[in-house]
Amino acid sequence: MTEEQAAFGALLRELRLSASQTIEGLAEASGVSVRGIGDLERGRRAAPQRRTVAALADGLGLDEAQRERLLSAARAGRSPGYSPLGVRAFPRGIGDFVGRERELGRLTELAAGESAQPVVVAVSGPPGTGKTTLALHAARGLAGRFPDGQLVLDLRGMDDDPPGPAELVLGVLKALQVADRDLVKAGPQGHPALYRQLLAERRCLLVLDNARDEGQVRPLLPAAGTSMVVVTSRRMLTGLESVHRLPLGELSPAEAAAFLTGLVGADRAEADPAALAEVAERCGHLPLALRVAGNWLATRTGWTVRRLADRLSVEDRRLDVLAAGDVRVDAAFDLSYRQLTPSAARLFRRLALVPGPDVGAAGAAELTGQKVFDAEDALEELVETGLLGTDGDRYRLHDLLRLFARIRLEAEESGPDAERACAALYRWLLETAIVAGRWFEPDHGAPPPTWQGTVDLSSADLAREWLQVEGAHWLAALRAAAAAGEHATVVEVAEALHWFSDQWIFWGHWPEVFGTAARSAQTLGDPVLEATHLNYHAWALLVCEGRPHDSLARSAESLAVARRAADVRQEAWAHVYSGLALRRLGDHVSAADHMHRAAPMFEAVGDLHGSLQAQHGHAMVLLDSGRPEEALVSYRDTLNFLERVGDRIKSHIADFSRGEVHSGIGASHMLMQRWTEAVDHFATAAAISRKNGNAAMESRRLVELGEALLSAGRPEEARQAFARCVSLGLDADPRRVADARDLLARLDAD
């Protein structure tokens, strides 16, 4: 209660007693309620609006001087910054607000706009992302722009029986100090019109917090005027029109660390910054979880940050640890979960079975046994309720929500049901990986007409995209198949992906895939399959991980197994991989010998792809031996071979090899200091890789191109090549990206 409110209340009481009226009598005469008058006299209620004061003055029969005296006291009670609902008394937690600069900037920009229409902003996000905190923090900063009041309404959207629009409209009207007499006169049917009229005449800021759905919010949105409405909801409120949308996610790692530091103190945070970062990560950078973790430490001054980090490291107990007093992270999740339809709730639980960071509609359908369209509807319901995020056509579950989903799965579904759902997903992943991978295999291509898949694999590009997007998932399924002893499936999947691996060299898991397949082939007792996958493993160790000694050991194993099986093809491939490893080790004589041995073997069995690799390998050995003229001839012979065989070699394999050959020709010209010719061939090689979407090979070619351009005295073009390499992302060769960064830094220094 302010002094001004007390002064108004005392004056009202004085005037009432002077008129010999009871509160009940004044209520009847003025139309203001008994409770309202009593609250005003005791200073419990903010000073009323002009129309209420006028009604009281009429009821008291005041003369002009007394009426003006009462109005003046009321105006004094409505001091600058006055807010009918007391939004100035912000909830605790606003003071330690961290981050959200972009969102706050957007709200400020919208509030400062010159629009003649009301501004409505929908702030949505998963439970615990700090939607209410953001809205109230912004309201405090924007209050001065809205002199007619700042109102905060809790719509209680998570309640089983939240207030309806009529109740909320009436609450706002009372907060705006509309006289009870006017409310009675308008009647419930007239309240919406009165509400719209008042907001059209005033410049107010309304925070509609915790909205349940569009139906609850829509009647509260002003139709005219210059007010601003900020709606917070776990739902996206997609059905609302003409609104600005502000989705919230988790904080950045730096913001999360700053938030925790503010709660636990700089000394404790700086004593172990690594532990602080671990706590933030295990809270999923979610504001609610961070607050609980920070409060836990703040009240346990004897604890180190490391102690809490270690407690949070146990996944099965993490949500139990993230509880402080009556605040539990999982309780916030449960409020949203309980509002789901049965179909969406079942899908949410089973998303805990997905082994990777996200899921597509087809994968979700396999988990639940639904049609894809039905699964997509359930996914969109989860998005709408804030339990799932989206990234393009993929759906992402926050780490803490994944733990909550697992708890609900264990509580509500039997073990066998969950196992069947997981098995269906894994079976689909491996079957689809085989079909997608065979796009790149010499003896295969498009899916057969009989294939009834739930994803579009009608082109090699779509197949590549699916294999990369679902990589973490089908790899997990492959591991599960190997652990379950499904060795034939493991070998079939790896075989289907052999030539595709050239398209995604630095994924990071090819040695595991082909090493697992080699063990499965050995278990099956098939020496030809064993030799085949030992060769694939040798390739992966050499090309993907740069381990020539280990690669040479695997190709030697393959050579021995292939000879025992009398399989000339795999014996020839073992020679090729041995030659490539020896070349990397600098033993050019032995490397050349292996390439020479391989060539007639491939020719004898009619393996054009093998013949191509043997020819190319021979050219590389010549180049590394310091014989660029001979290498140039050999590279050109390889290009001629590609022209002769035409489409008998699959286009992507031919393109891959053609790019490598042009790179070799460029390197040969570099050794002979023919800079212009080198630039031309490196540029051709880079263009081929770019066209085929092979970032790994393009990154290598771009560094070669940049170095040739530097030698040719063209530094600006070199800078462009290096910058392009750096921009290629995670699929590029990390060593070449590092080289490009170093070369750019050197150019900047020069």
Side-chain angles (χ1 to χ4, degrees):
M1 176 175 64
T2 66
E3 292 181 7
E4 291 84 358
Q5 287 172 320
F8 176 84
L11 177 59
L12 177 62
R13 176 178 174 80
E14 175 189 328
L15 293 171
R16 179 177 63 79
L17 293 176
S18 296
S20 300
Q21 284 200 20
T22 63
I23 290 179
E24 290 77 6
L26 178 56
E28 184 176 352
S30 67
V32 180
S33 69
V34 170
R35 180 176 178 181
I37 295 172
D39 286 345
L40 284 170
E41 289 190 358
R42 288 186 290 272
R44 293 179 180 176
R45 181 176 171 185
Q49 294 294 313
R50 184 182 182 92
R51 68 182 65 198
T52 302
V53 178
L56 291 168
D58 290 342
L60 290 168
L62 300 181
D63 59 28
E64 287 302 318
Q66 291 172 319
R67 179 184 294 267
E68 183 57 36
R69 185 182 173 198
L70 190 63
L71 282 170
S72 296
R75 282 194 293 269
R78 294 194 295 272
S79 59
Y82 156 74
S83 170
L85 291 189
V87 76
R88 287 291 184 183
F90 288 100
R92 293 179 62 185
I94 298 297
D96 53 26
F97 187 87
V98 169
R100 306 297 193 199
E101 285 84 2
R102 183 187 66 82
E103 292 83 358
L104 287 171
R106 180 59 174 153
L107 288 168
T108 301
E109 175 188 336
L110 290 169
E114 299 299 326
S115 174
Q117 296 295 318
V119 174
V120 181
V121 185
V123 180
S124 62
T129 48
K131 301 176 290 295
T132 298
T133 303
L134 170 69
L136 294 178
H137 186 77
R140 181 168 63 180
L142 298 175
R145 299 177 183 272
F146 299 93
D148 296 325
Q150 306 88 42
L151 313 182
V152 178
L153 281 80
D154 183 359
L155 306 191
R156 306 203 316 269
M158 293 295 104
D159 288 5
D160 293 334
D161 185 23
E167 180 182 347
L168 293 168
V169 165
L170 180 60
V172 174
L173 291 173
K174 288 185 175 181
L176 292 174
Q177 303 298 304
V178 176
D180 290 354
R181 181 177 58 188
D182 293 337
L183 292 175
V184 172
K185 181 179 178 182
Q189 299 302 317
H191 289 170
L194 185 57
Y195 174 89
R196 290 191 295 271
Q197 177 188 343
L198 284 175
L199 290 183
E201 295 171 351
R202 303 182 186 187
R203 183 167 172 78
C204 296
L205 173 61
L206 276 69
V207 176
L208 306 181
D209 187 40
N210 195 13
R212 184 182 186 89
D213 53 31
E214 295 89 340
Q216 190 189 34
V217 170
R218 195 175 283 114
L220 299 173
L221 301 182
T226 57
S227 291
M228 181 175 184
V229 181
V230 179
V231 186
T232 74
S233 179
R234 298 184 181 192
R235 292 182 175 271
M236 296 178 70
L237 303 178
T238 308
L240 292 183
E241 299 176 353
S242 302
V243 302
H244 302 275
R245 300 193 177 277
L246 208 60
L248 287 192
E250 59 265 26
L251 297 174
S252 70
E255 290 170 340
F259 188 26
L260 281 175
T261 299
L263 293 171
V264 307
D267 290 344
R268 293 171 79 188
E270 292 168 4
D272 195 344
L276 191 81
E278 286 180 34
V279 170
E281 182 179 0
R282 287 163 186 164
C283 289
H285 304 131
L286 193 70
L288 175 61
L290 292 166
R291 183 175 296 284
V292 170
N295 289 346
W296 183 279
L297 284 172
T299 56
R300 290 162 178 80
T301 55
W303 279 43
T304 63
V305 179
R306 166 55 56 195
R307 184 173 176 183
L308 180 59
D310 291 342
R311 287 197 60 170
L312 290 170
S313 67
V314 183
E315 275 197 354
D316 291 344
R317 299 285 298 167
R318 188 171 299 164
L319 287 177
D320 290 331
V321 174
L322 289 174
D326 61 349
V327 180
R328 295 183 58 91
V329 173
D330 57 0
F333 296 163
D334 191 59
L335 288 173
S336 291
Y337 176 72
R338 286 192 286 107
Q339 292 190 353
L340 297 174
T341 62
S343 175
R346 181 177 63 158
L347 176 56
F348 175 77
R349 296 190 297 269
R350 293 187 177 185
L351 287 177
L353 300 171
V354 176
D358 55 17
V359 70
E366 296 298 327
L367 278 172
T368 56
Q370 296 174 291
K371 293 181 179 179
V372 174
F373 289 132
D374 294 333
E376 196 168 43
D377 287 343
L379 288 166
E380 289 298 331
E381 181 181 340
L382 293 174
V383 171
E384 184 67 29
T385 54
L387 292 175
L388 269 188
T390 59
D391 182 7
D393 60 356
R394 307 288 294 177
Y395 298 85
R396 184 176 295 272
L397 191 63
H398 187 275
D399 290 346
L400 292 180
L401 281 166
R402 182 183 300 278
L403 294 178
F404 178 71
R406 183 190 303 167
I407 291 170
R408 299 317 319 150
L409 180 68
E410 292 172 354
E412 298 181 39
E413 298 197 38
S414 69
D417 283 346
E419 290 169 7
R420 280 191 291 271
C422 188
L425 174 64
Y426 281 11
R427 183 170 55 252
W428 170 79
L429 285 165
L430 296 181
E431 289 173 353
T432 309
I434 290 169
V435 175
R438 282 178 175 164
W439 258 111
F440 303 90
E441 291 298 298
D443 298 326
H444 294 277
T450 56
W451 185 65
Q452 300 294 319
T454 54
V455 292
D456 184 1
L457 299 179
S458 58
S459 71
D461 286 342
L462 289 170
R464 178 193 292 110
E465 180 183 354
W466 186 90
L467 287 166
Q468 291 179 329
V469 167
E470 298 281 4
H473 303 120
W474 63 253
L475 177 63
L478 187 75
R479 290 168 177 161
E486 299 170 7
H487 300 299
T489 298
V490 171
V491 169
E492 186 180 12
V493 171
E495 182 63 43
L497 297 171
H498 164 227
W499 284 100
F500 168 72
S501 59
D502 276 336
Q503 308 294 311
W504 199 21
I505 292 173
F506 295 104
W507 173 41
H509 298 287
W510 294 120
E512 178 187 354
V513 170
F514 296 128
T516 301
R519 290 189 294 274
S520 287
Q522 185 180 43
T523 302
L524 291 171
D526 188 324
V528 174
L529 285 177
E530 183 182 357
T532 299
H533 290 277
L534 284 168
N535 275 327
Y536 296 165
H537 194 207
W539 169 86
L541 291 169
L542 179 67
V543 176
C544 302
E545 295 190 346
R547 295 161 55 188
H549 289 289
D550 294 333
S551 174
L552 188 59
R554 292 307 258 170
S555 58
E557 285 183 60
S558 176
L559 185 60
V561 174
R563 283 174 174 166
R564 287 199 304 271
D567 188 282
V568 176
R569 185 190 306 272
Q570 291 308 319
E571 187 177 347
W573 278 108
H575 279 300
V576 167
Y577 292 128
S578 295
L580 292 174
L582 288 163
R583 165 185 167 257
R584 190 76 65 89
L585 292 168
D587 187 349
H588 301 127
V589 173
S590 298
D593 179 63
H594 278 286
M595 295 301 179
H596 284 305
R597 288 170 180 255
M601 292 180 176
F602 283 130
E603 187 175 353
V605 296
D607 189 334
L608 294 177
H609 296 85
S611 294
L612 172 62
Q613 299 307 315
Q615 285 196 38
H616 184 207
H618 177 63
M620 288 191 290
V621 172
L622 288 171
L623 179 63
D624 288 351
S625 301
R627 297 151 67 183
E629 294 88 351
E630 294 173 73
L632 202 54
V633 172
S634 184
Y635 279 123
R636 285 171 176 158
D637 287 344
T638 306
L639 283 179
N640 291 333
F641 175 82
L642 280 167
E643 293 301 319
R644 287 198 308 274
V645 299
D647 58 7
R648 285 184 290 167
I649 288 183
K650 289 198 72 138
S651 60
H652 75 278
I653 299 173
D655 285 343
F656 183 91
S657 298
R658 195 173 285 112
E660 290 287 275
V661 170
H662 277 289
S663 169
I665 293 175
S668 299
H669 284 301
M670 285 287 285
L671 284 179
M672 293 184 281
Q673 298 187 358
R674 298 173 183 169
W675 314 128
T676 301
E677 292 88 343
V679 166
D680 290 344
H681 283 282
F682 287 138
T684 298
I688 291 172
S689 298
R690 185 179 307 122
K691 177 185 175 184
N692 292 322
N694 194 324
M697 305 315 295
E698 185 183 357
S699 63
R700 293 180 173 185
R701 304 294 81 90
L702 285 168
V703 172
E704 294 168 345
L705 173 60
E707 290 174 330
L709 286 164
L710 287 176
S711 298
R714 296 153 66 179
E716 286 310 310
E717 292 173 77
R719 183 190 300 276
Q720 293 173 15
F722 297 141
R724 165 72 183 172
C725 176
V726 170
S727 72
L728 288 177
L730 297 177
D731 291 337
D733 184 339
R735 289 167 295 185
R736 296 298 177 265
V737 172
D739 291 342
R741 285 200 177 98
D742 289 343
L743 288 162
L744 280 171
R746 201 174 307 166
L747 280 170
D748 290 340
D750 292 341

